Short mmCIF file of all heavy atoms in Angstrom, two decimals:
data_model
loop_
_atom_site.label_atom_id
_atom_site.label_comp_id
_atom_site.label_asym_id
_atom_site.label_seq_id
_atom_site.Cartn_x
_atom_site.Cartn_y
_atom_site.Cartn_z
N ASP L 21 0.87 -1.17 0.00
CA ASP L 21 0.00 0.00 0.00
C ASP L 21 0.91 1.22 0.00
O ASP L 21 1.46 1.59 1.04
CB ASP L 21 -0.91 -0.02 1.23
CG ASP L 21 -1.93 1.11 1.22
OD1 ASP L 21 -1.65 2.18 0.64
OD2 ASP L 21 -3.00 0.93 1.82
N ASN L 22 1.07 1.82 -1.16
CA ASN L 22 2.01 2.94 -1.27
C ASN L 22 1.53 4.16 -0.47
O ASN L 22 2.35 4.92 0.05
CB ASN L 22 2.21 3.31 -2.72
CG ASN L 22 3.06 2.30 -3.48
OD1 ASN L 22 3.74 1.46 -2.88
ND2 ASN L 22 2.98 2.34 -4.80
N ALA L 23 0.23 4.33 -0.37
CA ALA L 23 -0.29 5.47 0.39
C ALA L 23 0.04 5.33 1.87
O ALA L 23 0.34 6.33 2.54
CB ALA L 23 -1.79 5.60 0.19
N GLU L 24 -0.01 4.10 2.37
CA GLU L 24 0.28 3.85 3.78
C GLU L 24 1.74 3.50 4.02
O GLU L 24 2.15 3.30 5.16
CB GLU L 24 -0.60 2.72 4.29
CG GLU L 24 -2.09 3.05 4.29
CD GLU L 24 -2.41 4.19 5.25
OE1 GLU L 24 -1.77 4.30 6.32
OE2 GLU L 24 -3.30 5.00 4.89
N LYS L 25 2.52 3.40 2.92
CA LYS L 25 3.95 3.04 3.04
C LYS L 25 4.12 1.75 3.83
O LYS L 25 4.93 1.67 4.78
CB LYS L 25 4.75 4.17 3.68
CG LYS L 25 4.76 5.46 2.87
CD LYS L 25 5.67 6.51 3.48
CE LYS L 25 5.71 7.76 2.65
NZ LYS L 25 6.63 8.77 3.21
N THR L 26 3.36 0.77 3.43
CA THR L 26 3.36 -0.51 4.14
C THR L 26 3.36 -1.67 3.14
O THR L 26 2.69 -1.60 2.10
CB THR L 26 2.13 -0.61 5.05
OG1 THR L 26 2.12 0.48 5.97
CG2 THR L 26 2.13 -1.92 5.84
N VAL L 27 4.12 -2.70 3.48
CA VAL L 27 4.09 -3.94 2.71
C VAL L 27 3.57 -5.04 3.61
O VAL L 27 3.83 -5.04 4.82
CB VAL L 27 5.49 -4.27 2.14
CG1 VAL L 27 6.51 -4.49 3.23
CG2 VAL L 27 5.41 -5.48 1.21
N PHE L 28 2.79 -5.96 3.03
CA PHE L 28 2.14 -7.01 3.79
C PHE L 28 2.57 -8.37 3.29
O PHE L 28 2.94 -8.54 2.12
CB PHE L 28 0.61 -6.89 3.65
CG PHE L 28 0.05 -5.56 4.03
CD1 PHE L 28 -0.20 -4.59 3.07
CD2 PHE L 28 -0.22 -5.27 5.35
CE1 PHE L 28 -0.72 -3.36 3.42
CE2 PHE L 28 -0.73 -4.04 5.72
CZ PHE L 28 -0.99 -3.07 4.74
N LEU L 29 2.48 -9.35 4.17
CA LEU L 29 2.66 -10.74 3.78
C LEU L 29 1.53 -11.54 4.44
O LEU L 29 1.53 -11.74 5.65
CB LEU L 29 4.02 -11.29 4.22
CG LEU L 29 4.33 -12.69 3.73
CD1 LEU L 29 4.49 -12.71 2.20
CD2 LEU L 29 5.58 -13.25 4.39
N GLN L 30 0.59 -11.97 3.62
CA GLN L 30 -0.49 -12.82 4.09
C GLN L 30 -0.02 -14.26 4.00
O GLN L 30 0.34 -14.73 2.91
CB GLN L 30 -1.75 -12.62 3.25
CG GLN L 30 -2.91 -13.51 3.64
CD GLN L 30 -3.47 -13.20 5.01
OE1 GLN L 30 -3.64 -12.04 5.38
NE2 GLN L 30 -3.74 -14.24 5.80
N MET L 31 -0.03 -14.95 5.12
CA MET L 31 0.47 -16.32 5.18
C MET L 31 -0.66 -17.24 5.60
O MET L 31 -1.20 -17.11 6.71
CB MET L 31 1.62 -16.41 6.19
CG MET L 31 2.75 -15.43 5.91
SD MET L 31 4.19 -15.66 6.98
CE MET L 31 3.48 -15.25 8.57
N ASN L 32 -1.01 -18.14 4.71
CA ASN L 32 -2.08 -19.11 4.96
C ASN L 32 -1.51 -20.53 4.96
O ASN L 32 -0.40 -20.75 4.47
CB ASN L 32 -3.17 -19.00 3.90
CG ASN L 32 -3.83 -17.64 3.87
OD1 ASN L 32 -3.97 -16.97 4.90
ND2 ASN L 32 -4.24 -17.21 2.69
N SER L 33 -2.29 -21.44 5.49
CA SER L 33 -1.88 -22.86 5.53
C SER L 33 -0.47 -23.02 6.07
O SER L 33 0.37 -23.72 5.48
CB SER L 33 -1.99 -23.48 4.12
OG SER L 33 -3.28 -23.34 3.61
N LEU L 34 -0.21 -22.38 7.18
CA LEU L 34 1.14 -22.37 7.73
C LEU L 34 1.56 -23.76 8.18
O LEU L 34 0.75 -24.56 8.67
CB LEU L 34 1.22 -21.39 8.89
CG LEU L 34 1.32 -19.92 8.43
CD1 LEU L 34 0.93 -18.96 9.55
CD2 LEU L 34 2.74 -19.62 7.96
N LYS L 35 2.86 -24.02 8.01
CA LYS L 35 3.45 -25.30 8.35
C LYS L 35 4.55 -25.07 9.40
O LYS L 35 5.12 -23.98 9.47
CB LYS L 35 4.08 -25.93 7.11
CG LYS L 35 3.12 -26.10 5.94
CD LYS L 35 3.86 -26.62 4.72
CE LYS L 35 2.93 -26.79 3.53
NZ LYS L 35 3.65 -27.30 2.33
N PRO L 36 4.89 -26.11 10.17
CA PRO L 36 5.98 -25.95 11.14
C PRO L 36 7.28 -25.46 10.50
O PRO L 36 8.03 -24.70 11.12
CB PRO L 36 6.13 -27.36 11.72
CG PRO L 36 4.75 -27.94 11.61
CD PRO L 36 4.21 -27.40 10.31
N GLU L 37 7.53 -25.85 9.27
CA GLU L 37 8.76 -25.43 8.60
C GLU L 37 8.75 -23.96 8.20
O GLU L 37 9.77 -23.44 7.73
CB GLU L 37 9.04 -26.30 7.37
CG GLU L 37 7.89 -26.46 6.41
CD GLU L 37 7.10 -27.74 6.65
OE1 GLU L 37 6.84 -28.08 7.83
OE2 GLU L 37 6.74 -28.39 5.64
N ASP L 38 7.63 -23.29 8.39
CA ASP L 38 7.59 -21.84 8.16
C ASP L 38 8.09 -21.07 9.39
O ASP L 38 8.22 -19.83 9.33
CB ASP L 38 6.16 -21.39 7.84
CG ASP L 38 5.64 -21.94 6.52
OD1 ASP L 38 6.41 -21.95 5.55
OD2 ASP L 38 4.47 -22.37 6.49
N THR L 39 8.36 -21.76 10.46
CA THR L 39 8.86 -21.12 11.67
C THR L 39 10.20 -20.44 11.41
O THR L 39 11.14 -21.08 10.92
CB THR L 39 9.01 -22.15 12.80
OG1 THR L 39 7.72 -22.64 13.15
CG2 THR L 39 9.67 -21.52 14.02
N ALA L 40 10.27 -19.15 11.70
CA ALA L 40 11.48 -18.38 11.42
C ALA L 40 11.27 -16.94 11.91
O ALA L 40 10.15 -16.55 12.26
CB ALA L 40 11.78 -18.37 9.92
N VAL L 41 12.34 -16.18 11.88
CA VAL L 41 12.23 -14.73 12.01
C VAL L 41 12.06 -14.18 10.61
O VAL L 41 12.83 -14.50 9.70
CB VAL L 41 13.47 -14.12 12.68
CG1 VAL L 41 13.34 -12.60 12.74
CG2 VAL L 41 13.67 -14.69 14.07
N TYR L 42 11.02 -13.37 10.44
CA TYR L 42 10.71 -12.79 9.13
C TYR L 42 11.16 -11.33 9.10
O TYR L 42 10.82 -10.55 9.99
CB TYR L 42 9.21 -12.90 8.86
CG TYR L 42 8.79 -14.29 8.47
CD1 TYR L 42 8.79 -15.33 9.41
CD2 TYR L 42 8.42 -14.59 7.17
CE1 TYR L 42 8.44 -16.62 9.04
CE2 TYR L 42 8.05 -15.88 6.80
CZ TYR L 42 8.06 -16.89 7.74
OH TYR L 42 7.71 -18.17 7.37
N TYR L 43 11.91 -11.00 8.04
CA TYR L 43 12.48 -9.66 7.89
C TYR L 43 11.89 -8.98 6.66
O TYR L 43 11.76 -9.58 5.60
CB TYR L 43 13.99 -9.74 7.71
CG TYR L 43 14.72 -10.33 8.89
CD1 TYR L 43 14.98 -11.70 8.98
CD2 TYR L 43 15.19 -9.51 9.92
CE1 TYR L 43 15.65 -12.24 10.05
CE2 TYR L 43 15.87 -10.04 11.00
CZ TYR L 43 16.10 -11.40 11.05
OH TYR L 43 16.78 -11.93 12.12
N CYS L 44 11.62 -7.71 6.83
CA CYS L 44 11.20 -6.86 5.73
C CYS L 44 12.43 -6.17 5.15
O CYS L 44 13.34 -5.79 5.90
CB CYS L 44 10.21 -5.82 6.28
SG CYS L 44 9.73 -4.52 5.16
#
């Protein structure tokens, strides 16, 4: 959203292997 200066990550069907620190 350029107006809000924000980036999003929608994560569905999460798995244990998705466990991590997420960086923008």
Side-chain angles (χ1 to χ4, degrees):
D21 185 331
N22 287 344
E24 295 296 325
K25 297 185 178 182
T26 302
V27 62
F28 305 96
L29 186 67
Q30 178 66 43
M31 305 187 295
N32 299 328
S33 303
L34 282 160
K35 304 175 181 180
E37 51 263 42
D38 294 318
T39 295
V41 177
Y42 284 71
Y43 297 91
C44 172

